[in-house]
Structure formats: C-alpha cells, structure tokens
Amino acid sequence: MMCWIKMKKMRRAIVFNIILILSLGIVSGQTPEERYKQAGELYSSGDYSGAAALYSKLYEEGYRSGDLFYNAGNAFFKMGDNASAILFYERAKLISPADEDIDYNLQIARSRITDRFEAVPQLFFVRWFDFLSLLASTNAWAVTALAMFILSLLFAVIFLTKARARGRLLSFWLALAAIVLSVVMVLLALRNNSLTNNNSKAVVTCSIVTGRSSPGEGGSELFVIHSGTTVTVEQELGEFLEVKLPDGNKGWIRGDCMEKI
C-alpha cells in the first residue's frame, strides 16, 4: 500500500514537472509583445509579482520603453518593493521626462522610503539642459545636428556666391545660426547618451547599508542608508563603490547593494 502511494506521488511530481517545463517552453517561445501583453494581464488580475518578473525579464533582454519601465514600477510598487519601483520610475523618466504620471508615482514611492535628505540644488540651466536632452533620443539629436550642419554649408555657399550685399548678409547670419544650432544638437546628443547609457545614479536595494570612509569593512562608519535611496556613483574599486548622497556626503558601500539606473 505504501509503495502504491509513493508511486502515485511520484507520478504526480513527474506530471507537474512536465507541465512546468511545457509552460516555460510556451513562455520562452512568446514574442516580446506577447510577454508584455501577458504581464499587463497578470497585473490586471492582481498577480503583481508575476507581472514584475515578466517586465524585469524583458528589461534584462534589452527591451527599452517608457511604458515598460512605468508599468514595471507600478507592479513593484503594488508588491511593496519601493526600491525596485523607484529604480524603474527613474528609468522611465529618462525616456519620458515630461510624463506627469511617472513623476507623480515616483514622488509617492519616494515618500515611503526611510531616508530623508536636504538635497543640494542643481543649477537651473543644468537641470533644464538635461530635461531638453531627454526630449529626443541620441540618434534623433545627432541626425538633427547633421542636418543643421549641412544647412549651414548651403547658406555658406550662398554667402560666397551671392552678388547682392543684402542677400549675402542674410545668408551669413543664417549660416552662423545653423552652425551654432548644430553644435548645440551635438551637445544634446552627447548628454542624452550619457544620461541614458552611462548614468552614474543608482538605487540602494539592500534594506540597510553602511557607508564607510574607505573600501572594505575596515573603514570607519560615516552614514547608514536604507533601500530606495538614490545615490550618485563617484568611483569603483573592486566590489565597493564610492557614492555621493543627495546632501553631498560621500562614502564607500558594497556594489551588490545597489543597481544602476
């Protein structure tokens, strides 16, 4: 009788494993669009952890969109994982900086973390330049810069070949304006690339992290921060990173306790 019960349990385990393998095969065979839609359905049904897992998997596979990051942030927020929610909201802001829903949800998530800092204000023109650079992609700014440069060459040719003084003066100023705009577009493209692909900001993912005066556990303790805090990575040495807090303080923490935006 005991052997029969064991055999029955073994058959159930085998059947369960077969179903699990088949399910994983079906998911892996889905297109990114299908998995994105499935994640939305899981979210709508209240399975926030399942939705967050699918959104995270799409991110790990290299898919990028403001909606993907925003929905992932919402899923993690519903789970109570404020650190991951802030991380994905921050990523969403890099793609859609003018989206009010993203900014609102980010502020709500930030209000639920432990740490509070009196942040050092950023210069207004730097803040606006960053905002402007994120309104279009790196490629879009680069193509626009190239178009402005070609336009400046055309106006320069007109300036050199125009016989009438009035027309020459207008073409000169238009050529100058086009070349200035071309330089600005190049700067915007470089800044966009820096913010989206080489962002130095990171979000703390461990519940409690101690900042020390030097890499390793031997340095003196400088501060204690908690999950969800956004920091700026200054430099890296082995497994440790020197970070700057929003209030300007610096210290070394473990790299495995944070994730880059």
Side-chain angles (χ1 to χ4, degrees), residues 141-157 174-186:
W141 286 124
V143 169
T144 307
L146 180 60
M148 287 292 104
F149 180 73
I150 293 173
L151 194 60
S152 70
L153 293 180
L154 292 176
F155 284 126
V157 170
L174 289 175
L176 183 61
I179 196 67
V180 170
L181 285 174
S182 177
V183 172
V184 172
M185 300 300 176
V186 169

Side-chain angles (χ1 to χ4, degrees), residues 80-100:
D81 187 348
N82 290 314
S84 297
I86 291 171
L87 178 65
F88 277 96
Y89 286 145
E90 291 279 14
R91 288 168 176 169
K93 278 196 69 175
L94 293 178
I95 297 178
S96 305
D99 192 307
E100 295 181 356

